[in-house]
Amino acid sequence: MKLIACTTALVLTAALGVTAAALPSTAAPATTASIRTEAAVSLPVPSGRLPVGLDRFELVDRSRTDPWVPASGSRRLMVSVWYPALPTPGEPAPYLTEAEAKGLVDFRQLPLDPKAIAGVRGVAKTGTPIRPALHRYPLVVLSPGFTLPVATLTSLAQDLASKGYVVAGIDHAYESSGTEFPDGTVKSCVACEVGEAEQVPPIRAADVSFVLDHLVGPKPGWRGSRWIDARRIGMAGHSIGGNSAADAMVADPRIDAGVNLDGTFFTPLPSTGVRKPFLLVGAPGTHTPGDEVDRSWDDSWNLLTGYRRWFVLPETGHLSFTDFAPLAKRFGLPADPEAPLDGDRTDEVTRALVTGFLDHHLRGLPSAPILDGADPRYPEAVRQTP
């Protein structure tokens, strides 16, 4: 499937095979003046007890030429690592740089001032000391939806970190509305214009392996690497990032569990199947068993030969599994009539599903009731049995 030119706010719809109703109503006739733009906009508070730190740095894979823009040279990535931290004073880290925020606002035609997006705050602080622990922390890799910065998974990332995970989010160059590098260059979505959807997951799988080498390889380069348990690694992704989680699991045996948040399997699972635990969480209308819009989950289900779960959250859409859900509410953006579930509630249920799954398979904790669709606290988590 061709990744169409990035010219409208609905590019993600066409590129990723979801209906227009799955996207927030960002094209509604609201003016910037009518939308909340003050800086005091915060993401949902993490549910864990630990403070969260954030390191953000560039990695250059000199063994590969960038697949989207070969003339640019080696493959460059920006990596954000959220981690359990010692409590320290100071302000939380910015959500995006102003250049990245402008790229997101322009690309999605949001009726917001880019400074308002850049001014969003989570709880993570940069440069804080890593919290020592008796046991090393499991690692979770995050890969965002196509055209989206990994910052749109910040709520999930900092929630996991607050519960004792190290979380590495990857901004894949030339695949988003804009990634700013330390030298000030901003790489926009060239892949939208020149790529095929089937190309993306294998490229991201290679990105993930390179990042894992940096974090837990023979010569790790991150300052907190000694606190990571290389025997306990999971990966989660939204949209095509979820497809990429499966590809990365197949390509790299270090990854022990995978999560796909509403992502089409553009690259099919291998005929030998995926024997490791895998979680599917999706929206109705596209990822309910038997849906005709996207048959890839039905086609892949029997190839998930290990522990597997499939959940649908009613009244959600494609971007409900990202920070768009709670932030749209906070900024006063028009609600999507096809995805009316409260943004904070969507975020809460998604985090509970992902954390319960990872706790069970990376930490060996008892299976949480939500994983069987039997937790009365989360009636929205509807387990599917194709």
Side-chain angles (χ1 to χ4, degrees):
M1 179 179 293
K2 190 69 176 176
L3 297 174
I4 65 173
C6 304
T7 55
T8 74
L10 297 182
V11 65
L12 197 60
T13 302
L16 299 187
V18 297
T19 62
L23 295 173
S25 302
T26 55
T31 64
T32 303
S34 69
I35 302 296
R36 288 186 57 200
T37 56
E38 62 265 27
V41 173
S42 299
L43 289 166
V45 176
S47 58
R49 63 180 181 83
L50 302 177
V52 179
L54 173 63
D55 285 351
R56 184 165 165 81
F57 48 85
E58 178 183 5
L59 291 180
V60 181
D61 185 354
R62 303 192 186 283
S63 70
R64 290 188 295 153
T65 299
D66 190 278
W68 304 117
V69 186
S72 69
S74 299
R75 180 69 164 163
R76 298 171 67 186
L77 306 169
M78 286 300 296
V79 180
S80 301
V81 180
W82 294 264
Y83 56 88
L86 293 174
T88 56
E91 294 297 316
Y95 188 67
L96 292 168
T97 69
E98 287 194 16
E100 290 170 333
K102 185 178 187 306
L104 182 63
V105 166
D106 291 347
F107 181 82
R108 298 205 60 81
Q109 299 180 12
L110 298 173
L112 295 171
D113 185 335
K115 291 183 178 180
I117 298 291
V120 169
R121 288 295 181 264
V123 299
K125 298 176 182 177
T126 56
T128 59
I130 299 165
R131 185 183 184 92
L134 292 176
H135 302 286
R136 289 179 294 174
Y137 301 116
L139 171 66
V140 179
V141 179
L142 296 182
S143 185
F146 190 71
T147 78
L148 299 176
V150 80
T152 56
L153 298 176
T154 296
S155 181
L156 175 61
Q158 62 184 18
D159 192 65
L160 288 167
S162 77
K163 295 176 178 178
Y165 287 88
V166 172
V167 182
I170 304 174
D171 276 305
H172 308 271
Y174 299 115
E175 296 178 22
S176 78
S177 54
T179 301
E180 185 169 10
F181 285 80
D183 63 3
T185 60
V186 179
K187 300 188 182 302
S188 58
C189 194
V190 174
C192 296
E193 302 171 354
V194 304
E196 302 285 341
E198 294 82 358
Q199 293 176 265
V200 176
I203 290 170
R204 291 196 177 188
D207 290 345
V208 170
S209 289
F210 174 65
V211 171
L212 289 181
D213 288 344
H214 181 79
L215 296 176
V216 298
K219 296 181 179 180
W222 180 53
R223 66 185 179 98
S225 290
R226 70 188 183 98
W227 293 110
I228 298 175
D229 188 343
R231 302 165 302 173
R232 298 185 292 163
I233 299 175
M235 181 173 171
H238 168 248
S239 195
I240 211 164
N243 184 172
S244 302
D247 270 45
M249 287 178 68
V250 172
D252 196 319
R254 292 175 292 187
I255 304 173
D256 302 304
V259 180
N260 181 345
L261 300 175
D262 208 50
T264 297
F265 285 107
F266 289 109
T267 58
L269 300 181
S271 59
T272 53
V274 174
R275 298 181 178 88
K276 294 180 178 180
F278 206 86
L279 173 67
L280 300 168
V281 182
T286 50
H287 290 129
T288 301
D291 284 336
E292 294 301 324
V293 174
D294 180 3
R295 294 285 306 169
S296 68
W297 283 23
D298 292 89
D299 295 341
S300 301
W301 182 245
N302 288 332
L303 293 172
L304 298 173
T305 57
Y307 178 102
R308 59 183 182 175
R309 289 292 187 271
W310 180 340
F311 285 89
V312 168
L313 273 58
E315 300 184 344
T316 60
H318 188 56
L319 295 184
S320 297
F321 306 97
T322 72
D323 294 349
F324 273 81
L327 288 181
K329 173 184 175 181
R330 283 160 171 71
F331 280 117
L333 292 173
D336 181 351
E338 299 296 328
L341 184 62
D342 177 80
D344 283 359
R345 182 60 176 170
T346 306
D347 183 73
E348 180 183 1
V349 177
T350 301
R351 296 190 316 191
L353 278 166
V354 174
T355 302
F357 173 79
L358 294 174
D359 279 350
H360 186 45
H361 295 290
L362 298 186
R363 286 184 157 147
L365 298 181
S367 180
I370 193 173
L371 295 177
D372 293 317
D375 193 330
R377 297 174 298 172
Y378 302 107
E380 300 92 343
V382 181
R383 183 180 172 186
Q384 309 296 304
T385 54

